Amino acid sequence: MSVVKNALPEADLKVVGEALQGALVDLVDLGLVAKQVHWNVVGPRFRSVHLQLDEVVTSARTHSDVVAERASALGITPDGRAATVASASAISGVPEGWVKDADAVRILVDGLSAVITRMRERIQATADPDPVTQDILIAVTGDLEKHHWMFAAESA
């Protein structure tokens, strides 16, 4: 049951809903992964990596809210529950314990790569059914690609 009505045909709404839900899951998990690594990073580049991780957390949280609110505006109930995120995320897990700074960088480069790949698929999928959602996903992807570039430069 949807309490919000919109102009999208049902088939388009299904495509857009799947794209938004997938984006939400990936963004929530990206924020959690970055914060987990942030708490446990150690090494000579601790401070710079630690601060960079907080920037990713802030971006992921901000974008997840925008994505979830777009879903709600279309009458789609966003699901950011832990079990949903754990079962559907594209990001690999974070090891237990301390994380060396070089490993932290690799974890973020890999996680961002996985999320960006899926975001680009969602951008393509939403092009015709809902350019407004596509625009949101383009903005999210641009921001994630900037973070990816900055972390990848750390490992060059």
Side-chain angles (χ1 to χ4, degrees), residues 15-142:
V15 170
V16 172
E18 289 172 2
L20 288 167
Q21 179 58 38
L24 177 62
V25 162
D26 285 347
L27 289 165
V28 169
D29 200 29
L30 179 61
L32 292 170
V33 164
K35 191 49 106 171
Q36 182 66 31
V37 174
H38 165 91
W39 291 325
N40 292 294
V41 66
V42 294
R45 296 180 305 172
F46 163 80
R47 182 159 173 75
S48 64
V49 173
H50 185 79
L51 294 174
Q52 221 175 333
L53 288 161
D54 262 345
E55 293 173 10
V56 173
V57 171
T58 298
S59 289
R61 288 178 178 169
T62 299
H63 290 309
S64 65
D65 195 47
V66 170
V67 165
E69 288 179 356
R70 177 64 183 159
S72 293
L74 294 174
I76 302 160
T77 56
D79 186 355
R81 297 174 297 163
T84 302
V85 171
S87 69
S89 176
I91 304 172
S92 299
V94 176
E96 261 186 65
W98 302 115
V99 179
K100 293 187 182 273
D101 50 9
D103 294 334
V105 168
R106 181 192 44 75
I107 289 166
L108 263 291
V109 167
D110 292 349
L112 284 160
S113 290
V115 173
I116 289 165
T117 297
R118 288 174 36 143
M119 287 294 183
R120 287 191 161 276
E121 292 167 0
R122 295 174 186 123
I123 288 169
Q124 293 299 322
T126 56
D128 290 328
D130 187 23
V132 175
T133 295
Q134 183 193 42
D135 188 51
I136 290 168
L137 297 175
I138 289 169
V140 169
T141 303

